[in-house]
Every structure is written in structure tokens, then in C-alpha cells.
Amino acid sequence: MDISIHRPQELNDELRKAWHKAMDESPLYANPFLAPEFAAGIGRHRPSARVAVLHQKNEAVGFLPYERGAFGVGRAIGLGLSDSQGLVHRPGVTWNARQLLRECGLAVLEFDHLVDGQRPFGPYVTGTFASPVVDLKAGDGTYAEWLRATYPGLAKTTLKKERRLARDHGELRFVYDERDPVMLRQLMDWKSAQYRRTGRMDRFAKPWIVALVEDLFAVREEHFTGVMSVLYAGERPVAVHFGPTSRTVFAAWFTTYDPELHYYSPGLLMHLRMAEAAGRQGVQLMDFGRGDKTYKDWLKTRELRVAEGFATRPHPVSTALRMWRRPVRGLRNTVNAHPRLREPADRLLKAAGSLRTARTGR
């Protein structure tokens, strides 16, 4: 196996076409987070981004996007943002994980959403987790008819809340692919406030993530399109979502809503509207990504499995990183997996967020 290293935003047309071909040949790699367009977006804002291209008989057959830090510490590209990671390859291609790391100049490669079927990375997996998905149906009727047929248990309550929202704030209007950049800024403002309110790290306090989202919003390609959806009541935006879609997979990414309207469950309304609209567009799957959320349990039709871990080769850095990072991940996973631990932790984070908001006024 010959391996060459490239900056993702500098791949030529031939290599991008080969990458797209590998995506098309396996449903495992259809997620837009595995597309070269996502890697290129990260590369434009993260100088450490690279792609290892695997060649057999002078043909590009595999692509591993990653970020290389100091001392050979590597991470899946967009770690912390991406809900799907791995080496995208043609069917039947195998590789040696240690050789791959050596060619990439890595002592260790960290991942937390590794897709299924990555056997050479299997020995380095420290845990696997459910990633809820929705199998989308293309309907020809109205939204209400689709909702009653797809989610009969939720339909009555949801339609009642939508009617109440329309009565109180104006007729509902849903735009699946909203191109107004003002609404993208609204999404980031609302989401930033939500992060602070709930005690989470504010991703949109990082300028490079703001720039990345603005960048991806402009991408309109077959294997990656930045789609922003907005639910309006009258002229008032109620909920906003931004995420990428490929030809067949819609990745639920950043969803937020007007906190003054939380009584109407605007986040749930948004996900239902997006699922119906994406199905009409021919998308086959909505991927919610790893994580325990009540709405995911309500809406999912099945689960995929994703893995986390550290691929390593013999090196002092890899040993030190495992000793430091693995216990931290293990503690977080234990808390998230048990409601008796997760719920008090959430309350503590929200209390901390409230104190911070009161102190800073933001």
C-alpha cells in the first residue's frame, strides 16, 4: 500500500472524484461528514488538517482525513464537531493501522464517532455507542398526513402544539433550505446562548467554528450541501437548524430555537418538519449522531453503532495520551449512560450556566 499525504483543500479533481466514488460504493460512507468537502472546510480553518490517500496499483482507493497536533498526536478531522469518522475506502481494501499512522507522522489517532466496518482500527476501540437514525419516507400527501402515518403516537400532541403556536404567534411556515445569512447568524446567537445557559462549552465563541459554519453554508455540491432550515410563525423565526446533507444522508447538527417559545417544543417541531421535507428531497436517512436525548428516542427508527478509541503505534506519546485521556472519556461515558448520574450532572451544569449568565449578563 502506497500512502501520500495532502492538505484536504488542495486535493485535485481526480482525487476528489475517487473519494466520492468510494462514498457511493458503500452506505457506511454516505454521511456528509465523510465527504471531501467537509474535510476541505476544516482544512481552510485548521492548518493541521491532512488527508492520507491510499493507493493500489497507482489508483486512489482510500482516504483518511485527520488533524495532526504536536508530538504526533492526531485526531479524526473535526473531532468534537463531526458525527461520522473513519477511513473512506473502496470495497475490499485493507490497510495496516500502524503503517498508516507511521506514514501520517502520528503516534496516536483519537476518534469518537468511528463508523462501522473499520476492522484495522478494531483493536484500538475502547467503547461503542448507539447513533440513532431515522429511515425517511418520501410522501406525496400533506405534512399532517405524513406525521400521522409515520409517528401516530406523537401526531396528536404535535399537531395540537403547532395549532396553538400558529394561533398565538401567526401562521406557520417551514423553509427547508433557507438561504438568508441573517438566519444563520440568528442560529449561532441562539445556540451560543443555549450553550452558556446549560453550562456547556460555547462552540460559537470560537471564531474558527463560526467561520467554518459560514463556509459550509455556502457549499452546494452533490455529496455535501449545507442546508439551513427555519420554522417561522408569521414573520417570527421559531426554530433554526443547520447541517450538511449528502445525496442520501441528512446529518442533524446544530438545532436551536427561540427560548421564549419553549412551551411549544419548537426543537421537536423542527426535527419532524425536517424529516418530512428531507424525505421529499429523496434523502433516505436522518442521522442524529451519538448522544442520549429524549427526542432521539421518540423519533429514531433504528440505531447505528459508532466507536471511540485511540489507534496507536509503539511510542512514548501514545502511552502518555492513553493514560490521560482514557479515564476522562470513561468517566464522561459512565455519567452519560446512567440517568441517575446524567440528570444531576445536567442540573449542575445548568446551575453553573445560570450563575455565569447572571454574572456576565450574557
Side-chain angles (χ1 to χ4, degrees):
M1 184 71 68
D2 294 322
I3 300 173
S4 58
I5 308 299
H6 308 258
R7 296 182 185 275
Q9 67 273 30
E10 295 174 359
L11 292 178
N12 60 33
D13 289 342
E14 182 180 358
L15 289 177
R16 285 196 298 270
K17 288 178 182 177
W19 191 332
H20 289 149
K21 184 176 182 180
M23 291 180 68
D24 292 339
E25 290 180 337
S26 173
L28 291 172
Y29 307 134
N31 193 292
F33 286 119
L34 295 175
E37 289 80 7
F38 179 71
I42 295 287
R44 284 189 284 272
H45 303 283
R46 302 282 284 180
S48 61
R50 298 290 186 274
V51 176
V53 180
L54 283 61
H55 303 265
Q56 284 183 339
K57 299 179 180 178
N58 297 320
E59 181 182 8
V61 297
F63 303 84
L64 175 71
Y66 64 96
E67 296 177 51
R68 186 182 187 278
F71 307 109
V73 175
R75 44 191 279 159
I77 201 161
L79 188 81
L81 293 173
S82 168
D83 288 337
S84 191
Q85 301 156 1
L87 193 155
V88 179
H89 62 83
R90 300 281 303 278
V93 171
T94 60
W95 70 93
N96 180 282
R98 288 187 174 180
Q99 178 201 2
L100 179 62
L101 293 181
R102 186 170 60 251
E103 296 290 340
C104 293
L106 300 178
V108 59
L109 176 67
E110 182 179 2
F111 48 84
D112 64 358
H113 285 78
L114 186 71
V115 296
D116 205 4
Q118 303 270 295
R119 290 186 179 181
F121 288 144
Y124 307 101
V125 167
T126 58
T128 62
F129 305 88
S131 184
V133 298
V134 180
D135 294 291
L136 300 180
K137 303 174 183 177
D140 295 326
T142 65
Y143 163 74
E145 291 170 340
W146 170 87
L147 183 60
R148 292 189 183 100
T150 308
Y151 294 104
L154 278 177
K156 183 177 180 180
T157 302
T158 299
L159 292 172
K160 183 178 180 180
K161 287 188 175 183
E162 290 197 341
R163 288 193 296 269
R164 187 175 297 155
L165 177 60
R167 183 193 65 208
D168 295 345
H169 297 281
E171 183 179 356
L172 297 190
R173 177 171 60 95
F174 175 73
V175 181
Y176 173 69
D177 189 13
E178 174 66 84
R179 303 310 301 163
D180 184 354
V182 172
M183 292 312 305
L184 187 65
R185 173 52 59 183
Q186 179 69 83
L187 178 147
M188 290 190 276
D189 288 346
W190 275 347
K191 196 67 178 178
S192 187
Q194 180 187 341
Y195 285 138
R196 296 193 300 270
R197 190 169 60 247
T198 56
R200 267 68 177 182
M201 181 193 74
D202 181 3
R203 290 176 175 174
F204 291 116
K206 297 180 179 294
W208 81 266
I209 294 181
V210 173
L212 171 68
V213 170
E214 292 173 342
D215 187 346
L216 297 179
F217 175 64
V219 178
R220 315 284 290 176
E221 300 292 342
E222 182 179 12
H223 291 80
F224 188 105
T225 297
V227 176
M228 179 173 63
S229 301
V230 184
L231 178 64
Y232 296 92
E235 295 303 314
R236 179 177 182 174
V238 173
V240 190
H241 171 271
F242 175 74
T245 181
S246 66
R247 292 193 302 177
T248 58
V249 178
F250 184 108
W253 203 16
F254 293 113
T255 305
T256 188
Y257 54 85
D258 186 339
E260 294 181 4
L261 303 178
H262 67 91
Y263 172 77
Y264 303 97
S265 302
L268 178 62
L269 303 185
M270 168 61 77
H271 281 97
L272 288 167
R273 291 276 184 166
M274 289 193 303
E276 190 268 345
R280 288 181 180 272
Q281 298 294 321
V283 178
Q284 300 171 11
L285 196 75
M286 176 180 281
D287 190 339
F288 287 127
R290 170 186 165 187
D292 295 311
K293 297 290 184 182
T294 301
Y295 75 88
K296 296 182 182 182
D297 289 335
W298 287 346
L299 302 183
K300 70 182 180 183
T301 55
R302 57 189 173 96
E303 295 174 344
L304 305 178
R305 303 297 296 182
V306 296
E308 71 176 28
F310 306 87
T312 62
R313 61 187 179 94
H315 195 284
V317 169
S318 63
T319 302
L321 188 76
R322 284 200 311 272
M323 292 176 64
W324 169 53
R325 290 286 290 157
R326 188 167 180 175
V328 173
R329 281 196 175 277
L331 178 61
R332 185 203 62 194
N333 293 335
T334 298
V335 171
N336 286 336
H338 296 84
R340 289 186 178 180
L341 298 176
R342 185 175 66 247
E343 292 168 7
D346 280 343
R347 288 196 296 270
L348 181 61
L349 286 172
K350 289 177 181 177
S354 297
L355 289 173
R356 183 171 59 192
T357 299
R359 186 174 64 250
T360 64
R362 294 180 59 193

